[in-house]
Amino acid sequence: MLVKLNNYAQLDDYELIKCVMATPCIQEAHNYFFNVKCTPILNYISAALFNNEGGSSILGEFYEFVSADNWKVLRMFSKRNGASLSSYLSRCTINYFLAKKKKEEKYKMESIDQLDIVKELDQFTQEEERKMPPVWLAYDQLNKRDQTVLMLLVIEGKSALEAAEIIWQYVNSKNKDWKALPAKRVQDTIAMLKRRALLSLSIELQAYDETSY
C-alpha cells in the first residue's frame, strides 16, 4: 500500500511514479507531478518550440501523452539507463513535441487560414447542403471524434466545459469523470483536441484541393 506523504518531493522517482499511476487517482500526487515536478520541462519546451506561451499552454497535451496506454511512458522508465526521472521525461517529451511540430510544419499548418475554415463551417445551412462546399467534403472524411469536436466547438460555438460531457468520451484518459478534474486541465485537453481536429480538417481540405486540379 502506498504511503501518502504531504510532501511528494520527498519521494524517490519510483515512489512518485507509483503514486501518479495509482488507482484510484491520488489527486495530490497528480498536482505535484504535473504542476510542480514537470513545470520546468514544460516551460522549457514552450519557450523552445511554442513562442514561450508558458508551460500551462501544453499541460493538457502533456498529460494525455504521459497517461496514454496506461502510463506507458512512466512504466518504461528505468534507473538502469542512468538518468533521473526529470531527465528521462525531458527527453521523451521533447521528442514528442518535436515530432508534433514537424508534422504540423509538413502540412504547412501556419499557412492555412483556420478562420476561413471556421467561417465556411459556421455559414453552412440546410439550403446549401446540395452545393456541398469543399470544406464539408473534407469534414465528411474526418473520424467521429474530430467531427464531434468541430460540431460542438466550432459550428455550435460551445465552450470547452459546455461540450466536455460529450467530448470527454473521446479522450484517452484514465480519468473518465472530467468533472473531478481541474477545469483548466479539461479546457487545455479539449483545446488540444480542437487544434488536432482543425489540423485534420486542413489536411483533408488540402488533399481535396490538390485532387481538384
Side-chain angles (χ1 to χ4, degrees):
M1 182 176 180
L2 295 175
V3 178
K4 295 184 178 181
L5 301 178
N6 291 328
N7 187 358
Y8 284 90
Q10 296 177 4
L11 299 176
D12 66 28
D13 289 340
Y14 278 94
E15 290 171 334
L16 178 58
I17 287 175
K18 288 180 180 179
C19 287
V20 172
M21 296 191 303
T23 303
C25 171
I26 303 176
Q27 192 61 55
E28 294 84 359
H30 278 217
N31 288 338
Y32 170 75
F33 180 77
F34 288 102
N35 297 316
V36 179
K37 179 78 171 179
C38 295
T39 292
I41 298 171
L42 299 181
N43 285 341
Y44 172 79
I45 293 174
S46 176
L49 300 179
F50 299 104
N51 300 317
N52 203 22
E53 296 177 358
S56 60
S57 66
I58 57 174
L59 178 58
E61 186 160 5
F62 173 71
Y63 174 81
E64 293 305 317
F65 165 63
V66 174
S67 63
D69 193 12
N70 191 27
W71 305 95
K72 181 178 179 180
V73 172
L74 296 184
R75 289 189 288 107
M76 294 292 289
F77 173 71
S78 171
K79 282 187 176 180
R80 287 179 297 178
N81 61 22
S84 66
L85 178 59
S86 293
S87 296
Y88 169 78
L89 282 175
S90 295
R91 184 169 65 252
C92 293
T93 307
I94 288 172
N95 288 340
Y96 170 78
F97 279 103
L98 272 176
K100 177 178 180 295
K101 189 172 181 65
K102 288 179 180 178
K103 181 178 179 181
E104 291 179 354
E105 291 175 348
K106 177 181 177 181
Y107 291 105
K108 302 179 180 179
M109 184 62 178
E110 295 179 355
S111 68
I112 298 174
D113 190 347
Q114 293 184 5
L115 292 179
D116 286 344
I117 296 175
V118 172
K119 184 177 179 181
E120 284 193 60
L121 287 171
D122 193 46
Q123 292 179 344
F124 185 73
T125 64
Q126 291 296 325
E127 290 75 18
E128 295 171 320
E129 187 171 3
R130 293 180 182 177
K131 297 180 182 179
M132 211 51 180
V135 69
W136 279 94
L137 292 172
Y139 176 88
D140 280 348
Q141 300 303 311
L142 300 179
N143 59 40
K144 182 65 174 178
R145 183 197 68 188
D146 290 343
Q147 287 184 346
T148 301
V149 169
L150 293 177
M151 179 62 68
L152 293 175
L153 301 182
V154 177
I155 301 172
E156 297 182 8
K158 294 182 182 294
S159 70
L161 295 181
E162 288 174 332
E165 189 68 35
I166 297 176
I167 291 178
W168 205 257
Q169 64 182 302
Y170 297 101
V171 175
N172 181 23
S173 172
K174 290 179 64 177
N175 296 303
K176 300 303 180 183
D177 183 8
W178 66 271
K179 294 179 182 177
L181 298 174
K184 175 64 172 162
R185 180 178 299 174
V186 175
Q187 291 170 322
D188 287 346
T189 300
I190 292 179
M192 176 267 293
L193 291 180
K194 180 181 178 182
R195 289 195 299 271
R196 287 182 175 176
L198 284 170
L199 173 60
S200 297
L201 181 64
S202 299
I203 293 170
E204 292 293 343
L205 185 58
Q206 187 176 50
Y208 174 84
D209 290 340
E210 290 174 353
T211 58
S212 299
Y213 292 107

